[in-house]
Amino acid sequence: MRKYWWKILGVFLIVYSFTMGLLVPLKPGIAYFEPGATQAGKAYEMTITGYNTFYTKATAAPRVWLKYDSVHMLIADRVEVLGDRQLKARFNLPGSLPTEKQVAVTSLIIDDDYNGFAVKPGSVFITADSSLQEISIGKAAWGKTEVSGVHEKDQFNFPYRVQLSETIRNLYYHVPFWFAMFIIFIAGITQSVQYLRTNNPEYDYKSMSFTMVGTLFGVIGLITGMIWAKDTWGTYWTWKEVKMNMTAIALLVYFAYFILRQSFDDDERRARISAVYSIFAFAAMIALLYVVPRMVSSLHPGSGGNPALGADDLDNSMRLVFYPAIIGWTLFGVWLTSLIYRMQMVRERIYDQ
Amino acid sequence: MNLTKEIGILLRKEMTIEWRQKHALGGILLYVISTVFVVYTAIKGVQPNVWNALFWIVILFASVNALVKSFVQENSSRQLYYYTIANPTAIILSKIIYNSGLLFLLTLLSYGAFILFAGNPVKDVGQFFLAMFLGSVGFSISFTFVAAISAKANNSSTLMAILSFPIVIPIILTLLKLSSNALRLMQDSSISKDIMTLVAIDVLMIATAFILFPFLWRD
């Protein structure tokens, strides 16, 4: 039991990441609304559709704001609850905008005591009235109210993002596979280096087992990424996405490694040359995955202003599932490696007899 | 014997062997010219962006064909003889330098053939020559090292392709970007960054090759 604690920990963390990742609901959010554009000086009535919301359970009708910047915002005059998912909000827009520009882009904010606080940034487009009015009027009219007394909910929920919606959960399956793959490939490389230093065939088998598991994780990471891409970008495979293509090439390098291993009769030679190739290929893969993607624009998170794992993008509730998932899959990968390694050793022993 | 002198002697040996086996060099030249001719007849009126892509594809395949023989053209007993008298670093370095020269020559000739058959859309000749030079060096490093690996295996020509093509893709992509700037297909202000990237990939690969070649060579 004391010897196998890490296997138990790995399985526990994977089960934990699956249950938490799939069962925890998303935060209430704003799915969509219409109309998305209006004109200054008119009454603006919008129907809002929420996501995971229960507007009827709130004790008072929700408050709805249109926010231009930190001091300029409008509150809805009348908010009508049509159902758990539907709201009708009515604004009396002043005749002038708080800006000199022709269009003001405002964020939609909804708050009530049951569902808490939800924002949809940069969503309502208000065009200026053609008969030009003083900006100071607009500034005064927009500056009367402020977003205050909002209900911050402390429930354990994952954030709601319009484009991702429920697929945000894929973060716990797609990304940890990449992290685990990298850790396992690095472990494989150190075994290759050990082999070249000592010529002990055990290290060769260890290196091969690590590479096998790393390649498997890479394939799974690619497949889960493709499923995610189908949902968010609308296609399984795109040539515009450089990380995806570079990854496919990196996997080709590792498939070539296994073909290389097949083409030797002599064990010692196979061990030595495949160790040399795996180190060389790893150096090439660093160029492939870390240099080239920085050069071209990409759809993938982490490049070109897209959100990724930065402090603003990864919610604390997500960290609580995401980091354990990485550790869990890494431990699982090491376990799988040790099984493959022992199988190889048994096979060798049978051949020797 | 110091390293530079050893490299000099090994380089002269490479050239002598190449000169004795003129059919190998002639075969590669004919390969390039017939490929360019096939390309020309298949796509009449080659557009600059197609020209750019085809140029590097022809160079890629010609380079693989030219370098696959690097470690198999001499028989194994002679390899053993080199092993006993020469420093492995000198051997890999002389091969890389020689192959870089060979590939640069090959690239220049292909450029000539392309001009002859498909026109010359290159606007910035200096930058294009720089791309051709850096490309030859990068191809030479990766293909020479992979040729050394595949020479030890049984089916070397197939292995050569599958082992080396994924590895040269970063180089190819940077080259395409650099040369499309030279063709004015796009305006890139950060061209010196691309050149630095290419040099960095080359340095990374040559460093790995230096460290690993002694293990490969030992047999």
Side-chain angles (χ1 to χ4, degrees), chain B residues 158-169:
Chain B
T158 322
L159 265 184
M160 178 79 185
I162 60 165
L163 295 184
S164 60
F165 281 3
I167 286 178
V168 295
I169 282 184

Side-chain angles (χ1 to χ4, degrees), chain B:
Chain B
M1 198 155 51
N2 65 11
L3 199 66
T4 41
K5 205 174 155 198
E6 209 173 319
I7 290 170
I9 292 169
L10 284 166
L11 274 176
R12 216 165 61 216
K13 178 218 79 173
E14 293 285 339
M15 275 177 232
T16 320
I17 288 173
E18 195 73 70
W19 190 246
R20 279 185 198 153
Q21 305 178 330
K22 290 186 206 67
H23 64 273
L25 197 61
I28 289 297
L29 290 184
L30 205 56
Y31 176 91
V32 168
I33 290 171
S34 41
T35 318
V36 177
F37 197 74
V38 167
V39 164
Y40 170 68
T41 42
I43 314 165
K44 292 189 185 71
V46 182
Q47 296 297 311
N49 55 346
V50 180
W51 191 99
N52 190 20
L54 285 176
F55 180 76
W56 290 110
I57 290 170
V58 168
I59 298 292
L60 178 71
F61 279 90
S63 314
V64 171
N65 278 316
L67 299 198
V68 70
K69 62 171 178 53
S70 291
F71 286 88
V72 288
Q73 64 180 356
E74 294 168 83
N75 60 31
S76 54
S77 46
R78 216 194 286 175
Q79 299 268 15
L80 191 66
Y81 173 60
Y82 297 142
Y83 174 61
T84 54
I85 59 164
N87 185 346
T89 315
I91 288 180
I92 186 78
L93 199 58
S94 67
K95 289 263 187 202
I96 286 175
I97 293 171
Y98 176 75
N99 285 338
S100 305
L102 184 72
L103 286 190
F104 190 54
L105 197 72
L106 202 69
T107 318
L108 289 181
L109 286 167
S110 322
Y111 183 40
F114 262 81
I115 291 175
L116 194 65
F117 291 119
N120 183 13
V122 178
K123 303 286 191 298
D124 189 338
V125 179
Q127 210 170 72
F128 195 72
F129 269 75
L130 183 69
M132 288 199 291
F133 176 72
L134 288 174
S136 313
V137 175
F139 284 173
S140 156
I141 296 167
S142 35
F143 288 151
T144 307
F145 192 74
V146 173
I149 290 176
S150 62
K152 304 277 181 194
N154 297 336
N155 52 346
S156 64
S157 57
T158 322
L159 265 184
M160 178 79 185
I162 60 165
L163 295 184
S164 60
F165 281 3
I167 286 178
V168 295
I169 282 184
I171 300 176
I172 284 256
L173 287 176
T174 327
L175 280 175
L176 276 172
K177 207 171 162 209
L178 204 59
S179 68
S180 57
N181 189 60
L183 266 68
R184 294 286 179 269
L185 294 173
M186 52 174 242
Q187 276 296 345
D188 192 356
S189 49
S190 63
I191 208 72
S192 57
K193 214 171 116 195
D194 290 342
I195 296 169
M196 283 315 293
T197 311
L198 211 49
V199 172
I201 295 175
D202 285 1
V203 168
L204 180 74
M205 288 209 162
I206 209 163
T208 338
F210 267 169
I211 297 165
L212 294 176
F213 188 71
F215 295 104
L216 205 60
W217 185 232
R218 189 184 64 201
D219 223 0

Side-chain angles (χ1 to χ4, degrees), chain A residues 57-89:
Chain A
K57 290 193 182 176
T59 48
R63 291 177 296 165
V64 181
W65 286 275
L66 285 179
K67 182 175 170 185
Y68 177 71
D69 57 24
S70 55
V71 285
H72 296 110
M73 57 202 77
L74 278 183
I75 190 160
D77 301 328
R78 205 182 64 216
V79 179
E80 223 179 298
V81 178
L82 302 179
D84 270 338
R85 307 269 179 282
Q86 293 244 307
L87 280 183
K88 195 169 250 183

